[in-house]
Amino acid sequence: MVATWELRARFAVRLAEMYGSEVPAYHTLVDVCTEVNAEAAKVRGDERLGSIERVTAERHGAIRVGSPREMAEVARVFAAFGMAPVGFYDLRDASASSVPVVSTAFRPVAAEELARNPFRVFTSMLVTEDRRFFDAETEERLKAFVSERELFGSELLALADRAAAEGGLDDDDAERLLGLATDSFRLTGEPIEREWYDHLERISAVAADIGGVPATHINHLTPRVLDIDELYARMQARGIAMISEIQGPPAWEGPDVLLRQTSFRALAEERVFRQADGSVRTGSLRVRFGEVEQRGIALTRKGRDRYDRLVAEVDRRLGEEQGGSRQEVALDVWREGLPSTEAELELQGLGFFSYRAAGVAPGAERASLRELVDAGVLVPEPIVYEDFLPRSAAGIFQSNLSDEGVRDDAQAGAVYDLDRLAELVGAEIHDPFDLYAAQRDGSLREAEQILGLRID
Ligand code: OOG
Ligand code: NI
């Protein structure tokens, strides 16, 4: 029997082999990441944000689909690998340009599963009924086009359902599942209808990539790095132009929180197009790109509110044009607005931590968390952020578009939230804050057992 977590680990490797053989720059990126991680691990000697094995193996991918039905099928495929939908991201709001999607991330939810292999896939769904982007006729054509294609065959879906129900598959079926699943995320060689693709591309390159081609594909596979500033410099030195600044928090001397990401532009790849007269011609598209990320401490709701306010403050100051780059301005704002030590982040309830019983129990029947931490009986350990940031995601989408597309904000949008998406997809979508809180609470219950007291 190949258990769920092992299916997931093998799936991540299979996708990386497929992606790396087709997008050679991926190997350069992974090599530089491995180099930087080995050096950073030596200097820091600190594996609290993940063991060096986990970090080195860690990847996220991204795919885009065209309808709730396709999203529901994706959910079945990923369930086979122990990946459940977590979080809701509305990229229509996070971006002034034309990114007409809402998203969730499929990932393991239990701490042990994350430690075994944290592979996750950021998954976006086109919102065809949003009139700011699509008129009624385009919406109808999009719906018809998407409903006629088949992203996942019935054999794959049946195997996936069985793997999810039984917690794994025997060797032969596992092999079959991995082959079919990997193939369904490969770039398609089927012809693309030129006129239809161009029509969508004028509205939104993202819409064309989703609704203008007969299949979906992994558009990037992102390794995790322990020092993204160092990686950025080394990639530049190798002559690989990074397209955007680093998204997310600035580099600073305080604790790393949430997620810092950067990407480089997609390569032009040869594709087959069918012209209006029926003839077939090769052309090129830039749809697969490179991305890398550094993960920090998960923030509580209070911490996240603070973070969002700091980001808005950076925007405000940049808007006043008093000079200074985003990095410089953000550094000032961060120093004013966030504690500079991990201990303070914990004390102020801004970050999520789990607690390890280390010292001798005080002999009382109950004690407060704070007393126990102060006495060194409980040691706080940061919980790593496993999710994404809507604004960074919009930035990643945008940085790979050659054209902003069009959107008409005078038209009606379409209202989406976590519950509506969950209903359409037919699966529970987890709230990331609840998952981090459960991890913290679980560690406290375990500490209570070890220390033989009640923690208030
Ligand atoms: C997804 C972009 C978002 C991230 O890491 O924030 C993303 C996409 O381009 O489909 O992957
Ligand atoms: Ni990404």
Side-chain angles (χ1 to χ4, degrees):
M1 179 92 156
V2 184
T4 305
W5 76 266
E6 205 175 340
L7 286 175
R8 181 169 66 255
R10 288 195 201 174
F11 181 45
V13 170
R14 292 285 275 267
L15 284 172
E17 282 167 2
M18 184 260 283
Y19 196 74
S21 69
E22 296 179 0
V23 185
Y26 173 74
H27 287 305
T28 312
L29 178 63
V30 171
D31 289 347
V32 178
C33 274
T34 308
E35 209 177 276
V36 170
N37 287 349
E39 288 169 29
K42 235 185 266 163
V43 175
R44 299 183 191 182
D46 171 4
E47 298 199 334
R48 289 171 317 144
L49 288 174
S51 71
I52 186 72
E53 291 80 23
R54 171 186 155 168
V55 171
T56 305
E58 188 158 342
R59 301 283 183 274
H60 85 248
I63 60 166
R64 304 164 179 177
V65 298
S67 67
R69 179 179 67 92
E70 289 185 349
M71 196 65 152
E73 289 179 359
V74 166
R76 285 166 68 189
V77 172
F78 289 149
F81 303 107
M83 297 155 70
V86 180
F88 172 77
Y89 305 86
D90 197 335
L91 302 191
R92 301 169 303 165
D93 295 345
S95 149
S97 67
S98 204
V99 182
V101 302
V102 293
S103 315
T104 186
F106 288 87
R107 67 167 177 86
V109 294
E112 320 82 75
E113 288 295 315
L114 286 160
R116 281 168 160 164
N117 186 291
F119 185 57
R120 65 202 119 208
V121 179
F122 190 87
T123 305
S124 302
M125 183 183 84
L126 194 64
V127 184
T128 54
E129 69 272 31
D130 195 315
R131 282 284 171 274
R132 293 172 299 180
F133 304 102
F134 309 108
D135 59 28
E137 195 190 326
T138 303
E139 182 193 359
E140 282 317 305
R141 275 185 79 185
L142 266 172
K143 278 190 174 152
F145 184 91
V146 168
S147 71
E148 272 160 32
R149 70 185 182 186
E150 183 180 78
L151 300 185
F152 310 102
S154 52
E155 186 190 356
L156 170 58
L157 290 171
L159 271 173
D161 289 347
R162 190 146 62 78
E166 294 173 8
L169 290 175
D170 68 32
D171 273 331
D172 289 347
D173 285 342
E175 198 40 47
R176 185 77 187 139
L177 171 77
L178 287 164
L180 290 171
T182 306
D183 277 344
S184 61
F185 297 115
R186 197 183 289 280
L187 204 63
T188 176
E190 276 182 60
I192 298 165
E193 302 294 333
R194 182 88 252 181
E195 260 191 330
W196 174 229
Y197 191 93
D198 288 350
H199 169 68
L200 290 176
E201 200 177 27
R202 278 190 292 276
I203 302 167
S204 158
V206 174
D209 184 49
I210 300 174
V213 289
T216 185
H217 55 266
I218 282 273
N219 64 41
H220 63 278
L221 204 54
T222 299
R224 179 171 158 196
V225 72
L226 292 169
D227 184 344
I228 200 168
D229 301 298
E230 182 60 29
L231 178 119
Y232 194 94
R234 289 195 195 181
M235 292 298 280
Q236 299 272 42
R238 287 198 183 202
I240 297 180
M242 312 299 279
I243 47 163
S244 55
E245 49 192 6
I246 295 173
Q247 313 267 348
W252 80 313
E253 60 285 354
D256 281 327
V257 299
L258 300 175
L259 179 64
R260 302 180 68 211
Q261 300 179 304
T262 190
S263 66
F264 31 97
R265 195 161 156 65
L267 302 172
E269 296 178 282
E270 222 173 69
R271 304 290 286 278
V272 184
F273 290 91
R274 188 176 295 118
Q275 310 296 123
D277 64 8
S279 66
V280 167
R281 255 188 244 164
T282 53
S284 76
L285 290 181
R286 293 173 178 272
V287 294
R288 296 196 294 187
F289 54 96
E291 186 194 42
V292 62
E293 66 190 11
Q294 177 177 340
R295 290 188 171 269
I297 303 171
L299 295 183
T300 58
R301 282 186 200 278
K302 181 179 170 196
R304 181 53 187 265
D305 285 348
R306 177 82 57 91
Y307 173 82
D308 289 340
R309 268 191 279 131
L310 297 186
V311 171
E313 176 61 16
V314 173
D315 286 346
R316 197 189 63 76
R317 291 192 195 177
L318 282 169
E320 286 179 353
E321 285 179 42
Q322 290 166 345
S325 66
R326 176 171 285 276
Q327 164 70 34
E328 286 162 351
V329 172
L331 186 56
D332 286 342
V333 171
W334 246 245
R335 285 177 173 157
E336 291 161 26
L338 268 189
S340 62
T341 64
E342 212 177 276
E344 199 60 30
L345 202 67
E346 191 267 340
L347 185 65
Q348 293 183 24
L350 297 169
F352 274 112
F353 290 77
S354 60
Y355 297 85
R356 182 168 52 83
V360 181
E365 257 175 46
R366 50 203 307 167
S368 75
L369 174 63
R370 197 47 48 210
E371 276 172 71
L372 294 169
V373 170
D374 288 344
V377 177
L378 285 181
V379 179
E381 290 178 336
I383 295 180
V384 69
Y385 188 58
E386 306 285 356
D387 295 287
F388 294 87
L389 294 172
R391 186 173 165 135
S392 301
I396 300 293
F397 266 99
Q398 242 161 337
S399 58
N400 280 285
L401 306 180
S402 43
D403 191 333
E404 294 241 306
V406 289
R407 90 185 245 172
D408 179 359
D409 285 326
Q411 300 294 323
V415 180
Y416 267 93
D417 60 13
L418 186 141
D419 292 331
R420 167 129 198 263
L421 187 63
E423 201 178 299
L424 289 174
V425 172
E428 183 197 355
I429 299 181
H430 299 270
D431 179 330
F433 290 105
D434 294 345
L435 297 177
Y436 298 120
Q439 203 174 326
R440 176 197 56 207
D441 295 347
S443 76
L444 288 172
R445 298 295 84 80
E446 205 175 298
E448 284 182 330
Q449 292 287 317
I450 295 170
L451 299 172
L453 53 73
R454 169 104 194 254
I455 301 170
D456 298 313

